[in-house]
Amino acid sequence: MKKLTYTVIFIFCCNSILAQNVGCGQAVAQLQNYAIQVNQIYHNEYWQVIPSIRCPAVNQFNQPYHPQLVQNCRMQMVNNLNQWYGQQCLYVNNLYSQIVKGCVIQPTSYPRLDSRLGPDSSKESSPIDVDQIDELVADVDDTKALKITIPKTASGFKPN
């Protein structure tokens, strides 16, 4: 994979900014961690904070609020949460596409083998003459060779 120094800026939910020069793999890993944090915050806010803290069904004296008031509050909070989550998804997707664009492996032209052979490699490169290639024959000792039998059906297999 192409090693590229890439600047990644994350704006975390607690308003801290992290800017680092990291490689592509680290950038993706940090972005994944950020996405996990966003999902955890959403889940916590949706299931715990909104019902029990932001829009509770009862007041501090354990007296119930009007159900319509609680429902309206929770709907407004969930709408705000969904808008925030949508913005975070766009942010993560845009940053991911920037990382991908910066980390895509560009096709490179490698030097020809001839140019790496040494000082006498300046001669013209010629195509390989396949007629001059000898067959490779393995010297197999039949007394030491292992015979492998492959069964034709699954029922022919017998484990040891």
Side-chain angles (χ1 to χ4, degrees), residues 36-83:
I36 289 169
Q37 279 184 337
V38 168
N39 288 333
Q40 288 172 343
I41 289 170
Y42 182 88
H43 184 268
N44 184 43
E45 190 79 19
Y46 186 85
W47 291 107
Q48 294 174 358
V49 175
I50 290 175
S52 61
I53 297 173
R54 298 193 194 282
C55 303
V58 295
N59 64 14
Q60 67 266 22
F61 304 111
N62 209 21
Q63 297 171 341
Y65 286 115
H66 191 276
Q68 188 66 40
L69 180 68
V70 174
Q71 182 182 4
N72 289 343
C73 176
R74 289 181 180 177
M75 285 177 53
Q76 184 178 5
M77 289 296 162
V78 169
N79 284 337
N80 291 343
L81 182 63
N82 285 337
Q83 286 177 352

Side-chain angles (χ1 to χ4, degrees), residues 122-137:
S122 59
K123 61 185 173 196
E124 187 91 15
S125 173
S126 61
I128 296 174
D129 186 6
V130 292
D131 294 333
Q132 293 184 358
I133 298 175
D134 292 330
E135 284 290 320
L136 179 62
V137 180

